[in-house]
Amino acid sequence: YEQGYALFARSWRGGDTIELDFHMEPKWIESHPAILENAGRLALMYGPTVYAAEEREYSKAPQLAQLLDIETLEQVGKANDGSPLYRVPVIRESLDFTEEPYAELETIKREEATLTLKPYRLWANDGPSFMQVWLRHS
């Protein structure tokens, strides 16, 4: 290892291979507190890949979701590019609301649901939709 590079000193022959295993686990990250738009929110990363929730996978705008239990992150398959897909439990708000822009506390209906997260780079591959990287967290 020299100046950030792995060095392999040997005599190479045709057919020689090197297999590298960059063990990666998904991890939740938080942004700098000065980025006020992300205050109280988390994002999921897997190696260099940033994940996002998409309306198509959720059936509602993912901005209506709040992470319920970040420890219950489950891999649920693979995207069309081979990247893992993850599911996490959330509380989602209903769009059923009064005609007025504001209402008494506890007017908004909330229910438990799950949210599927996929690589951000795959957003809108199947057409336009709402997307959210930074998810609300209590």
mmCIF file of all heavy atoms in Angstrom, residues 8-50:
data_model
loop_
_atom_site.group_PDB
_atom_site.id
_atom_site.type_symbol
_atom_site.label_atom_id
_atom_site.label_comp_id
_atom_site.label_asym_id
_atom_site.label_seq_id
_atom_site.Cartn_x
_atom_site.Cartn_y
_atom_site.Cartn_z
ATOM 1 N N PHE A 8 0.794 -4.643 -6.166
ATOM 2 C CA PHE A 8 0.930 -6.088 -6.295
ATOM 3 C C PHE A 8 2.212 -6.349 -7.089
ATOM 4 O O PHE A 8 2.232 -6.171 -8.306
ATOM 5 C CB PHE A 8 -0.278 -6.703 -7.010
ATOM 6 C CG PHE A 8 -1.578 -6.420 -6.306
ATOM 7 C CD1 PHE A 8 -2.365 -5.335 -6.666
ATOM 8 C CD2 PHE A 8 -2.009 -7.233 -5.271
ATOM 9 C CE1 PHE A 8 -3.559 -5.073 -6.010
ATOM 10 C CE2 PHE A 8 -3.201 -6.981 -4.610
ATOM 11 C CZ PHE A 8 -3.968 -5.897 -4.982
ATOM 12 N N ALA A 9 3.259 -6.717 -6.398
ATOM 13 C CA ALA A 9 4.545 -6.958 -7.055
ATOM 14 C C ALA A 9 4.711 -8.459 -7.264
ATOM 15 O O ALA A 9 4.819 -9.227 -6.308
ATOM 16 C CB ALA A 9 5.680 -6.401 -6.202
ATOM 17 N N ARG A 10 4.687 -8.864 -8.516
ATOM 18 C CA ARG A 10 4.892 -10.261 -8.861
ATOM 19 C C ARG A 10 5.106 -10.377 -10.360
ATOM 20 O O ARG A 10 4.900 -9.414 -11.099
ATOM 21 C CB ARG A 10 3.708 -11.122 -8.421
ATOM 22 C CG ARG A 10 2.402 -10.764 -9.112
ATOM 23 C CD ARG A 10 1.281 -11.696 -8.815
ATOM 24 N NE ARG A 10 1.471 -12.926 -9.581
ATOM 25 C CZ ARG A 10 0.782 -14.021 -9.426
ATOM 26 N NH1 ARG A 10 -0.162 -14.067 -8.518
ATOM 27 N NH2 ARG A 10 1.000 -15.083 -10.142
ATOM 28 N N SER A 11 5.479 -11.512 -10.797
ATOM 29 C CA SER A 11 5.590 -11.775 -12.233
ATOM 30 C C SER A 11 4.225 -12.269 -12.705
ATOM 31 O O SER A 11 3.741 -13.306 -12.245
ATOM 32 C CB SER A 11 6.651 -12.844 -12.510
ATOM 33 O OG SER A 11 7.916 -12.377 -12.112
ATOM 34 N N TRP A 12 3.618 -11.519 -13.613
ATOM 35 C CA TRP A 12 2.275 -11.847 -14.071
ATOM 36 C C TRP A 12 2.339 -12.754 -15.296
ATOM 37 O O TRP A 12 3.201 -12.623 -16.151
ATOM 38 C CB TRP A 12 1.510 -10.567 -14.421
ATOM 39 C CG TRP A 12 1.271 -9.723 -13.210
ATOM 40 C CD1 TRP A 12 2.017 -8.683 -12.776
ATOM 41 C CD2 TRP A 12 0.218 -9.883 -12.265
ATOM 42 N NE1 TRP A 12 1.504 -8.165 -11.614
ATOM 43 C CE2 TRP A 12 0.392 -8.885 -11.277
ATOM 44 C CE3 TRP A 12 -0.847 -10.757 -12.138
ATOM 45 C CZ2 TRP A 12 -0.465 -8.747 -10.191
ATOM 46 C CZ3 TRP A 12 -1.702 -10.610 -11.061
ATOM 47 C CH2 TRP A 12 -1.504 -9.617 -10.103
ATOM 48 N N ARG A 13 1.412 -13.698 -15.371
ATOM 49 C CA ARG A 13 1.296 -14.605 -16.511
ATOM 50 C C ARG A 13 -0.128 -14.544 -17.031
ATOM 51 O O ARG A 13 -1.050 -14.202 -16.295
ATOM 52 C CB ARG A 13 1.618 -16.034 -16.085
ATOM 53 C CG ARG A 13 3.045 -16.193 -15.619
ATOM 54 C CD ARG A 13 3.286 -17.625 -15.232
ATOM 55 N NE ARG A 13 4.221 -17.572 -14.108
ATOM 56 C CZ ARG A 13 4.629 -18.587 -13.434
ATOM 57 N NH1 ARG A 13 4.186 -19.785 -13.732
ATOM 58 N NH2 ARG A 13 5.483 -18.460 -12.460
ATOM 59 N N GLY A 14 -0.301 -14.926 -18.284
ATOM 60 C CA GLY A 14 -1.631 -14.965 -18.868
ATOM 61 C C GLY A 14 -2.558 -15.825 -18.026
ATOM 62 O O GLY A 14 -2.181 -16.908 -17.578
ATOM 63 N N GLY A 15 -3.763 -15.333 -17.772
ATOM 64 C CA GLY A 15 -4.744 -16.073 -16.973
ATOM 65 C C GLY A 15 -4.710 -15.732 -15.493
ATOM 66 O O GLY A 15 -5.600 -16.133 -14.747
ATOM 67 N N ASP A 16 -3.663 -15.014 -15.033
ATOM 68 C CA ASP A 16 -3.622 -14.598 -13.629
ATOM 69 C C ASP A 16 -4.772 -13.631 -13.360
ATOM 70 O O ASP A 16 -5.120 -12.799 -14.207
ATOM 71 C CB ASP A 16 -2.303 -13.895 -13.307
ATOM 72 C CG ASP A 16 -1.131 -14.849 -13.205
ATOM 73 O OD1 ASP A 16 -1.358 -16.075 -13.237
ATOM 74 O OD2 ASP A 16 0.008 -14.367 -13.089
ATOM 75 N N THR A 17 -5.369 -13.752 -12.223
ATOM 76 C CA THR A 17 -6.447 -12.844 -11.834
ATOM 77 C C THR A 17 -6.248 -12.384 -10.401
ATOM 78 O O THR A 17 -5.540 -13.034 -9.620
ATOM 79 C CB THR A 17 -7.832 -13.516 -11.934
ATOM 80 O OG1 THR A 17 -7.865 -14.627 -11.042
ATOM 81 C CG2 THR A 17 -8.128 -13.970 -13.355
ATOM 82 N N ILE A 18 -6.877 -11.295 -10.090
ATOM 83 C CA ILE A 18 -6.927 -10.788 -8.711
ATOM 84 C C ILE A 18 -8.398 -10.628 -8.374
ATOM 85 O O ILE A 18 -9.166 -10.081 -9.164
ATOM 86 C CB ILE A 18 -6.238 -9.418 -8.573
ATOM 87 C CG1 ILE A 18 -4.745 -9.530 -8.852
ATOM 88 C CG2 ILE A 18 -6.482 -8.833 -7.196
ATOM 89 C CD1 ILE A 18 -4.038 -8.204 -8.809
ATOM 90 N N GLU A 19 -8.769 -11.108 -7.223
ATOM 91 C CA GLU A 19 -10.141 -10.929 -6.768
ATOM 92 C C GLU A 19 -10.119 -10.020 -5.556
ATOM 93 O O GLU A 19 -9.426 -10.294 -4.581
ATOM 94 C CB GLU A 19 -10.765 -12.276 -6.404
ATOM 95 C CG GLU A 19 -12.221 -12.158 -6.053
ATOM 96 C CD GLU A 19 -12.855 -13.512 -5.813
ATOM 97 O OE1 GLU A 19 -12.603 -14.448 -6.591
ATOM 98 O OE2 GLU A 19 -13.607 -13.626 -4.818
ATOM 99 N N LEU A 20 -10.862 -8.927 -5.626
ATOM 100 C CA LEU A 20 -10.939 -7.967 -4.529
ATOM 101 C C LEU A 20 -12.329 -8.012 -3.927
ATOM 102 O O LEU A 20 -13.322 -8.067 -4.648
ATOM 103 C CB LEU A 20 -10.647 -6.552 -5.024
ATOM 104 C CG LEU A 20 -9.285 -6.331 -5.678
ATOM 105 C CD1 LEU A 20 -9.201 -4.918 -6.226
ATOM 106 C CD2 LEU A 20 -8.172 -6.580 -4.695
ATOM 107 N N ASP A 21 -12.405 -7.981 -2.628
ATOM 108 C CA ASP A 21 -13.681 -7.958 -1.933
ATOM 109 C C ASP A 21 -13.729 -6.683 -1.101
ATOM 110 O O ASP A 21 -13.077 -6.590 -0.073
ATOM 111 C CB ASP A 21 -13.832 -9.187 -1.043
ATOM 112 C CG ASP A 21 -15.152 -9.202 -0.291
ATOM 113 O OD1 ASP A 21 -16.025 -8.355 -0.570
ATOM 114 O OD2 ASP A 21 -15.308 -10.064 0.584
ATOM 115 N N PHE A 22 -14.458 -5.703 -1.598
ATOM 116 C CA PHE A 22 -14.646 -4.462 -0.856
ATOM 117 C C PHE A 22 -15.915 -4.637 -0.024
ATOM 118 O O PHE A 22 -17.013 -4.309 -0.470
ATOM 119 C CB PHE A 22 -14.795 -3.274 -1.808
ATOM 120 C CG PHE A 22 -13.576 -3.023 -2.634
ATOM 121 C CD1 PHE A 22 -13.538 -3.378 -3.971
ATOM 122 C CD2 PHE A 22 -12.462 -2.430 -2.073
ATOM 123 C CE1 PHE A 22 -12.419 -3.152 -4.735
ATOM 124 C CE2 PHE A 22 -11.328 -2.195 -2.830
ATOM 125 C CZ PHE A 22 -11.300 -2.554 -4.161
ATOM 126 N N HIS A 23 -15.764 -5.178 1.156
ATOM 127 C CA HIS A 23 -16.919 -5.461 1.995
ATOM 128 C C HIS A 23 -17.643 -4.151 2.311
ATOM 129 O O HIS A 23 -17.065 -3.217 2.847
ATOM 130 C CB HIS A 23 -16.489 -6.151 3.288
ATOM 131 C CG HIS A 23 -17.640 -6.475 4.175
ATOM 132 N ND1 HIS A 23 -18.535 -7.473 3.891
ATOM 133 C CD2 HIS A 23 -18.071 -5.910 5.316
ATOM 134 C CE1 HIS A 23 -19.453 -7.521 4.826
ATOM 135 N NE2 HIS A 23 -19.194 -6.570 5.705
ATOM 136 N N MET A 24 -18.895 -4.097 1.921
ATOM 137 C CA MET A 24 -19.692 -2.897 2.155
ATOM 138 C C MET A 24 -20.992 -3.292 2.835
ATOM 139 O O MET A 24 -21.553 -4.343 2.554
ATOM 140 C CB MET A 24 -20.013 -2.194 0.828
ATOM 141 C CG MET A 24 -18.813 -1.670 0.095
ATOM 142 S SD MET A 24 -19.249 -0.710 -1.388
ATOM 143 C CE MET A 24 -20.085 -1.901 -2.387
ATOM 144 N N GLU A 25 -21.425 -2.444 3.706
ATOM 145 C CA GLU A 25 -22.719 -2.588 4.371
ATOM 146 C C GLU A 25 -23.492 -1.297 4.134
ATOM 147 O O GLU A 25 -22.908 -0.219 4.057
ATOM 148 C CB GLU A 25 -22.530 -2.776 5.884
ATOM 149 C CG GLU A 25 -21.823 -4.047 6.278
ATOM 150 C CD GLU A 25 -22.700 -5.271 6.153
ATOM 151 O OE1 GLU A 25 -23.931 -5.131 6.249
ATOM 152 O OE2 GLU A 25 -22.145 -6.364 5.954
ATOM 153 N N PRO A 26 -24.807 -1.384 4.023
ATOM 154 C CA PRO A 26 -25.580 -0.134 3.922
ATOM 155 C C PRO A 26 -25.454 0.639 5.230
ATOM 156 O O PRO A 26 -25.341 0.051 6.305
ATOM 157 C CB PRO A 26 -27.008 -0.616 3.700
ATOM 158 C CG PRO A 26 -27.040 -2.009 4.206
ATOM 159 C CD PRO A 26 -25.657 -2.561 4.043
ATOM 160 N N LYS A 27 -25.412 1.953 5.117
ATOM 161 C CA LYS A 27 -25.311 2.771 6.336
ATOM 162 C C LYS A 27 -26.117 4.041 6.185
ATOM 163 O O LYS A 27 -26.248 4.601 5.099
ATOM 164 C CB LYS A 27 -23.857 3.085 6.669
ATOM 165 C CG LYS A 27 -23.157 3.949 5.656
ATOM 166 C CD LYS A 27 -21.719 4.208 6.060
ATOM 167 C CE LYS A 27 -21.010 5.000 4.959
ATOM 168 N NZ LYS A 27 -19.613 5.230 5.291
ATOM 169 N N TRP A 28 -26.695 4.468 7.302
ATOM 170 C CA TRP A 28 -27.441 5.720 7.352
ATOM 171 C C TRP A 28 -26.464 6.848 7.606
ATOM 172 O O TRP A 28 -25.536 6.706 8.408
ATOM 173 C CB TRP A 28 -28.481 5.678 8.468
ATOM 174 C CG TRP A 28 -29.578 4.703 8.195
ATOM 175 C CD1 TRP A 28 -29.708 3.460 8.744
ATOM 176 C CD2 TRP A 28 -30.676 4.874 7.302
ATOM 177 N NE1 TRP A 28 -30.830 2.848 8.246
ATOM 178 C CE2 TRP A 28 -31.448 3.686 7.356
ATOM 179 C CE3 TRP A 28 -31.087 5.898 6.458
ATOM 180 C CZ2 TRP A 28 -32.607 3.522 6.601
ATOM 181 C CZ3 TRP A 28 -32.238 5.728 5.708
ATOM 182 C CH2 TRP A 28 -32.981 4.554 5.783
ATOM 183 N N ILE A 29 -26.666 7.968 6.930
ATOM 184 C CA ILE A 29 -25.810 9.131 7.135
ATOM 185 C C ILE A 29 -26.684 10.335 7.460
ATOM 186 O O ILE A 29 -27.873 10.360 7.155
ATOM 187 C CB ILE A 29 -24.930 9.420 5.902
ATOM 188 C CG1 ILE A 29 -25.790 9.707 4.668
ATOM 189 C CG2 ILE A 29 -23.970 8.275 5.633
ATOM 190 C CD1 ILE A 29 -25.004 10.269 3.505
ATOM 191 N N GLU A 30 -26.070 11.318 8.091
ATOM 192 C CA GLU A 30 -26.748 12.581 8.346
ATOM 193 C C GLU A 30 -25.879 13.700 7.798
ATOM 194 O O GLU A 30 -24.667 13.548 7.666
ATOM 195 C CB GLU A 30 -27.039 12.779 9.832
ATOM 196 C CG GLU A 30 -25.832 12.679 10.730
ATOM 197 C CD GLU A 30 -26.194 12.676 12.211
ATOM 198 O OE1 GLU A 30 -27.376 12.821 12.549
ATOM 199 O OE2 GLU A 30 -25.281 12.539 13.012
ATOM 200 N N SER A 31 -26.514 14.807 7.450
ATOM 201 C CA SER A 31 -25.756 15.905 6.859
ATOM 202 C C SER A 31 -25.323 16.902 7.924
ATOM 203 O O SER A 31 -25.760 16.840 9.073
ATOM 204 C CB SER A 31 -26.575 16.591 5.768
ATOM 205 O OG SER A 31 -27.615 17.344 6.333
ATOM 206 N N HIS A 32 -24.503 17.808 7.517
ATOM 207 C CA HIS A 32 -24.018 18.866 8.405
ATOM 208 C C HIS A 32 -25.218 19.667 8.918
ATOM 209 O O HIS A 32 -26.139 19.965 8.155
ATOM 210 C CB HIS A 32 -23.066 19.779 7.614
ATOM 211 C CG HIS A 32 -22.312 20.720 8.477
ATOM 212 N ND1 HIS A 32 -22.896 21.837 9.042
ATOM 213 C CD2 HIS A 32 -21.019 20.705 8.880
ATOM 214 C CE1 HIS A 32 -22.000 22.487 9.754
ATOM 215 N NE2 HIS A 32 -20.852 21.824 9.675
ATOM 216 N N PRO A 33 -25.232 20.012 10.195
ATOM 217 C CA PRO A 33 -26.374 20.741 10.764
ATOM 218 C C PRO A 33 -26.643 22.094 10.112
ATOM 219 O O PRO A 33 -27.756 22.618 10.193
ATOM 220 C CB PRO A 33 -26.014 20.932 12.236
ATOM 221 C CG PRO A 33 -24.841 20.091 12.497
ATOM 222 C CD PRO A 33 -24.230 19.683 11.205
ATOM 223 N N ALA A 34 -25.653 22.668 9.437
ATOM 224 C CA ALA A 34 -25.866 23.957 8.780
ATOM 225 C C ALA A 34 -26.711 23.817 7.514
ATOM 226 O O ALA A 34 -27.201 24.816 6.987
ATOM 227 C CB ALA A 34 -24.522 24.601 8.438
ATOM 228 N N ILE A 35 -26.902 22.600 7.038
ATOM 229 C CA ILE A 35 -27.770 22.389 5.871
ATOM 230 C C ILE A 35 -29.178 22.201 6.423
ATOM 231 O O ILE A 35 -29.621 21.085 6.697
ATOM 232 C CB ILE A 35 -27.301 21.184 5.032
ATOM 233 C CG1 ILE A 35 -25.845 21.381 4.612
ATOM 234 C CG2 ILE A 35 -28.210 20.998 3.821
ATOM 235 C CD1 ILE A 35 -25.227 20.181 3.941
ATOM 236 N N LEU A 36 -29.865 23.293 6.617
ATOM 237 C CA LEU A 36 -31.139 23.289 7.331
ATOM 238 C C LEU A 36 -32.208 22.452 6.645
ATOM 239 O O LEU A 36 -33.075 21.886 7.306
ATOM 240 C CB LEU A 36 -31.628 24.725 7.526
ATOM 241 C CG LEU A 36 -30.691 25.609 8.355
ATOM 242 C CD1 LEU A 36 -31.243 27.024 8.448
ATOM 243 C CD2 LEU A 36 -30.453 25.012 9.730
ATOM 244 N N GLU A 37 -32.180 22.346 5.330
ATOM 245 C CA GLU A 37 -33.182 21.558 4.605
ATOM 246 C C GLU A 37 -33.120 20.081 4.977
ATOM 247 O O GLU A 37 -34.090 19.350 4.795
ATOM 248 C CB GLU A 37 -33.006 21.705 3.087
ATOM 249 C CG GLU A 37 -33.356 23.074 2.563
ATOM 250 C CD GLU A 37 -32.240 24.104 2.786
ATOM 251 O OE1 GLU A 37 -31.105 23.726 3.161
ATOM 252 O OE2 GLU A 37 -32.509 25.293 2.589
ATOM 253 N N ASN A 38 -31.975 19.613 5.489
ATOM 254 C CA ASN A 38 -31.818 18.204 5.850
ATOM 255 C C ASN A 38 -31.887 17.968 7.353
ATOM 256 O O ASN A 38 -31.654 16.842 7.804
ATOM 257 C CB ASN A 38 -30.494 17.655 5.307
ATOM 258 C CG ASN A 38 -30.463 17.646 3.801
ATOM 259 O OD1 ASN A 38 -31.498 17.632 3.154
ATOM 260 N ND2 ASN A 38 -29.281 17.666 3.243
ATOM 261 N N ALA A 39 -32.196 18.980 8.133
ATOM 262 C CA ALA A 39 -32.258 18.832 9.585
ATOM 263 C C ALA A 39 -33.283 17.764 9.951
ATOM 264 O O ALA A 39 -34.405 17.749 9.433
ATOM 265 C CB ALA A 39 -32.620 20.159 10.235
ATOM 266 N N GLY A 40 -32.887 16.825 10.806
ATOM 267 C CA GLY A 40 -33.784 15.764 11.243
ATOM 268 C C GLY A 40 -34.033 14.706 10.189
ATOM 269 O O GLY A 40 -34.990 13.953 10.272
ATOM 270 N N ARG A 41 -33.166 14.635 9.180
ATOM 271 C CA ARG A 41 -33.341 13.669 8.093
ATOM 272 C C ARG A 41 -32.093 12.794 7.961
ATOM 273 O O ARG A 41 -31.002 13.200 8.326
ATOM 274 C CB ARG A 41 -33.602 14.386 6.765
ATOM 275 C CG ARG A 41 -34.905 15.158 6.764
ATOM 276 C CD ARG A 41 -35.054 15.980 5.493
ATOM 277 N NE ARG A 41 -36.273 16.749 5.537
ATOM 278 C CZ ARG A 41 -37.403 16.381 4.972
ATOM 279 N NH1 ARG A 41 -37.497 15.255 4.311
ATOM 280 N NH2 ARG A 41 -38.474 17.140 5.052
ATOM 281 N N LEU A 42 -32.305 11.607 7.419
ATOM 282 C CA LEU A 42 -31.217 10.664 7.162
ATOM 283 C C LEU A 42 -31.265 10.236 5.705
ATOM 284 O O LEU A 42 -32.317 10.276 5.069
ATOM 285 C CB LEU A 42 -31.365 9.416 8.046
ATOM 286 C CG LEU A 42 -31.354 9.614 9.553
ATOM 287 C CD1 LEU A 42 -31.570 8.276 10.258
ATOM 288 C CD2 LEU A 42 -30.049 10.244 10.011
ATOM 289 N N ALA A 43 -30.120 9.802 5.207
ATOM 290 C CA ALA A 43 -30.040 9.241 3.860
ATOM 291 C C ALA A 43 -29.323 7.899 3.962
ATOM 292 O O ALA A 43 -28.508 7.678 4.865
ATOM 293 C CB ALA A 43 -29.286 10.174 2.919
ATOM 294 N N LEU A 44 -29.612 7.008 3.039
ATOM 295 C CA LEU A 44 -28.994 5.680 3.025
ATOM 296 C C LEU A 44 -27.927 5.639 1.938
ATOM 297 O O LEU A 44 -28.165 6.087 0.815
ATOM 298 C CB LEU A 44 -30.049 4.604 2.756
ATOM 299 C CG LEU A 44 -29.526 3.170 2.796
ATOM 300 C CD1 LEU A 44 -29.128 2.775 4.218
ATOM 301 C CD2 LEU A 44 -30.562 2.208 2.245
ATOM 302 N N MET A 45 -26.772 5.089 2.302
ATOM 303 C CA MET A 45 -25.696 4.876 1.329
ATOM 304 C C MET A 45 -25.240 3.424 1.407
ATOM 305 O O MET A 45 -25.267 2.806 2.469
ATOM 306 C CB MET A 45 -24.512 5.792 1.595
ATOM 307 C CG MET A 45 -24.799 7.238 1.281
ATOM 308 S SD MET A 45 -23.322 8.261 1.285
ATOM 309 C CE MET A 45 -22.485 7.699 -0.193
ATOM 310 N N TYR A 46 -24.826 2.916 0.265
ATOM 311 C CA TYR A 46 -24.222 1.586 0.168
ATOM 312 C C TYR A 46 -22.969 1.779 -0.671
ATOM 313 O O TYR A 46 -23.062 1.973 -1.882
ATOM 314 C CB TYR A 46 -25.191 0.603 -0.490
ATOM 315 C CG TYR A 46 -24.632 -0.780 -0.702
ATOM 316 C CD1 TYR A 46 -24.455 -1.643 0.378
ATOM 317 C CD2 TYR A 46 -24.282 -1.226 -1.971
ATOM 318 C CE1 TYR A 46 -23.952 -2.912 0.181
ATOM 319 C CE2 TYR A 46 -23.782 -2.491 -2.168
ATOM 320 C CZ TYR A 46 -23.611 -3.335 -1.081
ATOM 321 O OH TYR A 46 -23.100 -4.593 -1.270
ATOM 322 N N GLY A 47 -21.811 1.820 0.004
ATOM 323 C CA GLY A 47 -20.588 2.180 -0.696
ATOM 324 C C GLY A 47 -20.745 3.598 -1.212
ATOM 325 O O GLY A 47 -21.192 4.486 -0.501
ATOM 326 N N PRO A 48 -20.442 3.831 -2.483
ATOM 327 C CA PRO A 48 -20.581 5.176 -3.049
ATOM 328 C C PRO A 48 -21.998 5.489 -3.537
ATOM 329 O O PRO A 48 -22.260 6.592 -3.996
ATOM 330 C CB PRO A 48 -19.614 5.152 -4.237
ATOM 331 C CG PRO A 48 -19.620 3.724 -4.669
ATOM 332 C CD PRO A 48 -19.762 2.908 -3.403
ATOM 333 N N THR A 49 -22.902 4.531 -3.425
ATOM 334 C CA THR A 49 -24.250 4.700 -3.969
ATOM 335 C C THR A 49 -25.179 5.353 -2.956
ATOM 336 O O THR A 49 -25.308 4.879 -1.827
ATOM 337 C CB THR A 49 -24.835 3.338 -4.402
ATOM 338 O OG1 THR A 49 -23.971 2.758 -5.378
ATOM 339 C CG2 THR A 49 -26.219 3.495 -4.986
ATOM 340 N N VAL A 50 -25.835 6.428 -3.378
ATOM 341 C CA VAL A 50 -26.851 7.104 -2.572
ATOM 342 C C VAL A 50 -28.199 6.513 -2.957
ATOM 343 O O VAL A 50 -28.486 6.299 -4.129
ATOM 344 C CB VAL A 50 -26.844 8.623 -2.843
ATOM 345 C CG1 VAL A 50 -27.978 9.312 -2.108
ATOM 346 C CG2 VAL A 50 -25.499 9.215 -2.462
#
